[in-house]
Amino acid sequence: VQLQASGGGLVQPGGSLRLSCTASGFSRGEGTIGWFRQAPGKEREGVSCRRQSDGGTSYANSVKGRFTISRDSAKNTVYLQMNSLKPEDTAIYYCAVTRRSLIMGRCRHDESYDYWGQGTQVTVSS
């Protein structure tokens, strides 16, 4: 399994970015995909996740209502649409996958995942 995360960049507060995570060696509709982030000096945080079997999603309280996780099954790609970005959203964002269909209570825990992408930097600054 290989994961390719992209879409990061520099954006002003209030702006938007869309991150992409393309998985190879991973069947469409299989498992669970999560987005995590890590800011300098902070622990990695589970931002959002999507269970592929039924589309179940979960979001951290800090991003609820601003971020949306979605999937393009034809491209085997999962997106994280990030709106109303704040400086505190600045971090390296990672996508991760597991072949297991996680319960929602576990899908934002990094130990639940088996494969990780390389990360993409998101910087929110004026």
Side-chain angles (χ1 to χ4, degrees), residues 10-52:
L10 173 64
V11 63
Q12 292 186 342
S16 298
L17 283 174
R18 188 178 76 163
L19 305 183
S20 301
C21 178
T22 300
S24 58
F26 196 75
S27 299
R28 299 169 187 173
E30 179 183 20
T32 307
I33 294 180
W35 282 100
F36 294 80
R37 67 185 181 186
Q38 189 164 23
K42 293 189 177 181
E43 291 188 355
R44 187 159 55 190
E45 174 189 20
V47 174
S48 181
C49 52
R50 187 182 190 281
R51 185 171 54 213
Q52 304 289 67

Side-chain angles (χ1 to χ4, degrees), residues 10 15 18 22 24 27-29 58 64 75 79 102 112 115 124:
L10 173 64
R18 188 178 76 163
T22 300
S24 58
S27 299
R28 299 169 187 173
S58 176
K64 202 170 291 185
K75 297 180 179 180
Y79 301 101
L102 300 175
S112 297
Y115 305 97
V124 185

Side-chain angles (χ1 to χ4, degrees), residues 4 17 23 28 39 41 47 49 53-54 57 59 64 69 72-73 80 86-87 94 101 106 109-111 116 119 121:
Q4 181 70 42
L17 283 174
R28 299 169 187 173
V47 174
C49 52
S53 60
D54 62 0
T57 59
Y59 296 92
K64 202 170 291 185
I69 190 170
D72 183 333
S73 58
L80 185 68
K86 305 175 181 180
Y94 300 89
S101 291
R106 296 298 304 169
H109 292 243
D110 54 7
E111 65 268 21
W116 291 80
Q121 175 71 47

